[in-house]
Amino acid sequence: MRASRQTFLNLFCILWLLLLLKAASCSPLPSGDDTPHPLLPSRLYKGHTCVGCVLVVSVIEQLAQWHNSTVKAAVERLCNYIPEKLQGFCYILAELYGPHIAELIDREMNADVVCHSLRLCKQDPGQPLCHLYPPPKVGLSTAIWKAKRILKTSKDLKSTTRFSNLCAFPLLANLCEKIKYVIRNKLPFEDFDGDKFSTFPTLRGYHWRGRDCDDRNTIVYPGRRPDNWDVKSDSNCNGIWGVDPKDGIPYEEKFCKGADSRGVVLLGDSAGAHFHIPPEWMTVTQMSAKSFANLPMAFTDELDWPQFSEITGFLNSTIGGWTDSLYLRLRRRNRCNHRDLQNISQNGGSSRNLLNLMKSLARNQLLDNPAIVIYATIGNDVCNGNHDTLAHMTTPKEMLSNVMQALRYLDSQLPNGSHVILTGLVDGRFLWDNLHDRYHPLGQLNRDITYSQLYSFLNCLKVSPCNGWLTPNKTLRNLTSERALQLSDVLKEIARSEKFANFDVFYMDFPLRQTAEEWRKMGGEPWQLIEPVDGFHPSQIAAALGTSITWQKALHEWPQVLGKENPFNDQIEAIFKDQGGH
C-alpha cells in the first residue's frame, strides 16, 4: 500500500510541477465561482503560464550568471536541485525547451522576449505586450520578432503545445480525477473510514485537520466526546485513555470531565491556509538542493502551510519566524484539546464560495465537543484580477446574504455551546506602501525587479491577486480599502444583532496595525510582515504576532470563548505523550 501511495504522490507532484507559477501568481478564484479551482493542466490560464515561464527563465539566466556557467549547465543545475523522484520530469522539460531558451539567452534576449517567442506568453488582440523587465532598446515587439526568426518555429517547439494537456492521456486520466476530488471537496485524499480525518499529512490530511488515530474506525476521530470515558481505547485521539490503577477512575473522566474541551476551526482564504512560496526557490544566491527538499510536500499541500498557520499551526516553523497559533494556545490551556483542529481554507476563498467549502467541516452536533470557529476571508471579497476591479467586488448587500447563509449552515452543524468569531477585512494599502519600491527576490541579484514591476506585470496579464491594492493608482487603493471597511462593518453589525441557537457571535478587526506596531517595537521592518515572493500574503512573522493579539483580545473581552484552564495539564503531560508527531 505504501509503495502504491508513493507512486501516486510522485505522479501527483509531476502534474503539479506544471502548475508552480500558476499558484505563484496567487490569483484568487473569480468571485462567486463555486466550481473547482482550475488547477489542472488542461485548464491552465495563459496568463499564469506566462508568469511561470518568465520566472523560470529568469532563474535559469541568473544561475548561469551567478555560477559563471553556460545556460545549458544552468538548466542541468536547476534540475539537479529538484528532488530525485521529480528530476525525470524536469529533464523532459529541459530537453523540450532548454535548447531554445539557451539560444535566446546567449543572444541577450531577456525572459519576457524568450517566453513570448516560445508562445508561452500570448497577447490578446488589442492588448499590450506584458513584460516584467524594462523593454529592450529595440522595443519589445521588435525583439520578439527577431527571437521568433531565430527559433524558426521548430518542429520540436510545436510538439510541446500539447504537453499542457497531460490529463488527456489515458494513463493519467484517473489520477487527474483523483486530484480533482481533493481540490473540489477539500477532504483528505487518504481517509479509509470516511470520517474526514487522515493519518497522512498532505493532500488535505493532518496538516489541515487533527491526525486520526484509527483510520479504520469511523467513530474514532479528533474532537468527539469520549466514548465511555475511553476506558478501553482512545476515541477522540487526544492521547488520553485507560483507567488509573490507583483509584479505578478513567483518565479521560478524571482529567477532562467538565474541562470545557473545545476545538478550533478556521474558515478562510489563502492567508488562513498560509500560502507561501519559499524565496530560496527564486533567489539563486541561496539556491541548492536543500532549498527544494520540501517541494513535493509543498505541492501536495497546494503551496499552503496550514501546519504553521496563525489559527491551526502545530509544528515548529521551517519557513522563517516561529509558530504560534490559537490551537497551540488552546492546547496549552487544556491538554484535552489535543488534535482538535480543522483548517478549512482555500486559495481564493471569499464569502461567495465559502459556503460550498464549509461542507467539508467535520462536526457532529450530538457526538462532538463545541468549537471555536474563526470566519476570516480577509481580502478576496474586494480583491480580483479584473481591470474593472471595483465592479467585481462583493457589495455590502451580497456580503450580508453570503455570511448569513454561512452562519445558518454552521448553526445546523456545530454542537451547542460553540463560538464564532468574524474577522474583518484587511486594509491592503499596507502592501503598496511598504513594498512597491523594494526589490523582489528575483530582482535582488541585479537590482532590476521591484514589486511595482511585478504588480504591473500581473495586472497586465489579468492574474493579479488584487488589482485594487497592487496598483500605483492611489485613488483606486483608497476605494478598495473603503469597500473593505464597508464589508467589515457588515460583519460587525451581524455580530451585534444576530442570534443563533448553537453559538454566539463575536467580531474583531484584522489586527494589521497592532501587528505592525508590535513588530516595530521588536526592531523589525513593516515589509517583513509580507510574504516576499508573492508580495501579498501575511508572512510567518505576521501570523505569529497576530495570534498573540487575537489571544489577548479574547482573554480580556471574551474569556468564555477560550474555556477554563485545565488544572490537570501537567499530570496529563506526565502520563500521556504526544503520539506519532501530532
Side-chain angles (χ1 to χ4, degrees), residues 118-144:
L118 290 174
R119 301 193 181 106
L120 294 175
C121 289
K122 297 182 179 180
Q123 179 187 18
D124 291 331
Q127 295 299 311
L129 285 168
C130 301
H131 56 90
L132 179 61
Y133 294 87
K137 291 181 179 180
V138 297
L140 187 56
S141 297
T142 301
I144 293 171

Side-chain angles (χ1 to χ4, degrees), residues 51-186:
V51 174
C53 177
V54 170
L55 295 184
V56 171
V57 171
S58 296
V59 167
I60 291 171
E61 183 177 13
Q62 290 185 22
L63 277 172
Q65 175 188 345
W66 180 249
H67 293 281
N68 194 26
S69 71
T70 64
V71 176
K72 181 176 183 295
V75 173
E76 293 176 353
R77 184 185 298 274
L78 181 60
C79 285
N80 285 334
Y81 287 158
I82 302 297
E84 185 176 357
K85 56 191 174 187
L86 303 178
Q87 284 181 359
F89 177 71
C90 184
Y91 283 119
I92 291 173
L93 285 181
E95 186 70 22
L96 291 171
Y97 287 106
H100 309 294
I101 294 173
E103 183 172 10
L104 294 178
I105 290 178
D106 286 340
R107 293 174 181 258
E108 298 185 350
M109 305 282 187
N110 68 23
D112 295 318
V113 176
V114 171
C115 292
H116 277 285
S117 63
L118 290 174
R119 301 193 181 106
L120 294 175
C121 289
K122 297 182 179 180
Q123 179 187 18
D124 291 331
Q127 295 299 311
L129 285 168
C130 301
H131 56 90
L132 179 61
Y133 294 87
K137 291 181 179 180
V138 297
L140 187 56
S141 297
T142 301
I144 293 171
W145 178 78
K146 289 183 176 180
K148 287 181 177 179
R149 291 201 62 183
I150 293 170
L151 294 179
K152 295 180 181 178
T153 60
S154 71
K155 292 181 180 180
D156 289 340
L157 189 56
K158 285 182 178 179
S159 69
T160 65
T161 58
R162 298 181 181 179
F163 197 71
S164 63
N165 195 17
L166 284 179
C167 289
F169 289 89
L171 292 178
L172 293 178
N174 288 337
L175 176 58
C176 287
E177 287 303 313
K178 292 180 180 179
I179 297 174
K180 287 180 183 178
Y181 170 86
V182 173
I183 293 168
R184 181 187 303 116
N185 296 295
K186 299 295 184 278

Side-chain angles (χ1 to χ4, degrees), residues 303-343:
L303 290 178
D304 296 321
W305 307 72
Q307 67 272 33
F308 306 140
S309 80
E310 177 178 350
I311 305 299
T312 63
F314 62 89
L315 292 177
N316 291 331
S317 173
T318 59
I319 57 174
W322 63 98
T323 301
D324 188 6
S325 69
L326 182 60
Y327 163 73
L328 285 177
R329 291 189 177 226
L330 283 170
R331 186 189 182 281
R332 286 196 293 269
R333 190 173 180 83
N334 180 6
R335 172 60 174 74
C336 301
N337 293 328
H338 182 51
R339 291 188 183 173
D340 194 356
L341 63 99
Q342 296 182 59
N343 190 315

Side-chain angles (χ1 to χ4, degrees), residues 163-356:
F163 197 71
S164 63
N165 195 17
L166 284 179
C167 289
F169 289 89
L171 292 178
L172 293 178
N174 288 337
L175 176 58
C176 287
E177 287 303 313
K178 292 180 180 179
I179 297 174
K180 287 180 183 178
Y181 170 86
V182 173
I183 293 168
R184 181 187 303 116
N185 296 295
K186 299 295 184 278
L187 291 171
F189 177 82
E190 186 176 276
D191 177 16
F192 294 110
D193 56 14
D195 59 10
K196 301 183 180 179
F197 293 91
S198 177
T199 59
F200 190 70
T202 61
L203 299 176
R204 291 281 165 168
Y206 72 78
H207 280 173
W208 299 83
R209 303 164 185 253
R211 185 173 183 170
D212 201 341
C213 53
D214 186 349
D215 205 21
R216 297 187 182 276
N217 190 337
T218 189
I219 60 172
V220 174
Y221 54 83
R224 69 161 294 173
R225 296 191 180 104
D227 179 25
N228 191 30
W229 293 117
D230 285 357
V231 170
K232 294 183 178 180
S233 62
D234 186 6
S235 66
N236 56 17
C237 300
N238 67 1
I240 304 170
W241 64 281
V243 176
D244 189 336
K246 296 178 182 178
D247 52 25
I249 300 175
Y251 286 116
E252 182 85 41
E253 180 180 6
K254 175 179 288 189
F255 295 144
C256 300
K257 184 178 181 180
D260 281 352
S261 297
R262 60 199 61 199
V264 59
V265 178
L266 173 64
L267 305 174
D269 51 21
S270 51
H274 209 41
F275 185 90
H276 168 80
I277 298 176
E280 310 88 64
W281 291 3
M282 297 183 191
T283 311
V284 298
T285 57
Q286 304 173 21
M287 198 173 288
S288 67
K290 184 179 179 181
S291 305
F292 292 93
N294 54 17
L295 189 68
M297 181 189 72
F299 277 124
T300 48
D301 265 337
E302 304 160 50
L303 290 178
D304 296 321
W305 307 72
Q307 67 272 33
F308 306 140
S309 80
E310 177 178 350
I311 305 299
T312 63
F314 62 89
L315 292 177
N316 291 331
S317 173
T318 59
I319 57 174
W322 63 98
T323 301
D324 188 6
S325 69
L326 182 60
Y327 163 73
L328 285 177
R329 291 189 177 226
L330 283 170
R331 186 189 182 281
R332 286 196 293 269
R333 190 173 180 83
N334 180 6
R335 172 60 174 74
C336 301
N337 293 328
H338 182 51
R339 291 188 183 173
D340 194 356
L341 63 99
Q342 296 182 59
N343 190 315
I344 302 178
S345 303
Q346 72 173 10
N347 300 334
S350 72
S351 74
R352 298 189 182 190
N353 53 42
L354 198 58
L355 182 60
N356 188 59

Side-chain angles (χ1 to χ4, degrees), residues 313-477:
F314 62 89
L315 292 177
N316 291 331
S317 173
T318 59
I319 57 174
W322 63 98
T323 301
D324 188 6
S325 69
L326 182 60
Y327 163 73
L328 285 177
R329 291 189 177 226
L330 283 170
R331 186 189 182 281
R332 286 196 293 269
R333 190 173 180 83
N334 180 6
R335 172 60 174 74
C336 301
N337 293 328
H338 182 51
R339 291 188 183 173
D340 194 356
L341 63 99
Q342 296 182 59
N343 190 315
I344 302 178
S345 303
Q346 72 173 10
N347 300 334
S350 72
S351 74
R352 298 189 182 190
N353 53 42
L354 198 58
L355 182 60
N356 188 59
L357 179 67
M358 287 165 54
K359 294 176 182 177
S360 66
L361 173 68
R363 214 67 180 181
N364 187 301
Q365 281 192 317
L366 299 178
L367 298 179
D368 297 349
N369 287 317
I372 303 171
V373 178
I374 313 297
Y375 183 105
T377 57
I378 66 172
N380 289 326
D381 281 285
V382 297
C383 284
N384 58 75
N386 297 290
H387 287 173
D388 54 343
T389 180
L390 291 171
H392 289 82
M393 294 179 186
T394 303
T395 66
K397 183 178 179 180
E398 290 170 337
M399 188 72 167
L400 176 61
S401 175
N402 296 338
V403 176
M404 287 303 298
Q405 288 183 64
L407 293 177
R408 292 186 189 108
Y409 178 80
L410 286 176
D411 206 23
S412 71
Q413 302 295 313
L414 295 177
N416 189 264
S418 295
H419 310 277
V420 175
I421 300 175
L422 304 176
T423 304
L425 278 69
V426 68
D427 184 349
R429 289 175 292 191
F430 185 89
L431 302 168
W432 180 270
D433 291 346
N434 289 287
L435 280 185
H436 74 277
D437 56 353
R438 295 190 61 82
Y439 290 111
H440 184 269
L442 203 63
Q444 290 175 5
L445 180 65
N446 296 312
R447 303 179 71 81
D448 56 355
I449 299 295
T450 64
Y451 285 94
S452 177
Q453 290 169 255
L454 174 67
Y455 297 155
S456 295
F457 181 48
L458 299 179
N459 286 344
C460 178
L461 292 169
K462 301 181 182 178
V463 296
S464 170
C466 198
N467 266 7
W469 277 323
L470 307 184
T471 172
N473 187 330
K474 185 176 181 179
T475 299
L476 185 54
R477 298 199 303 270

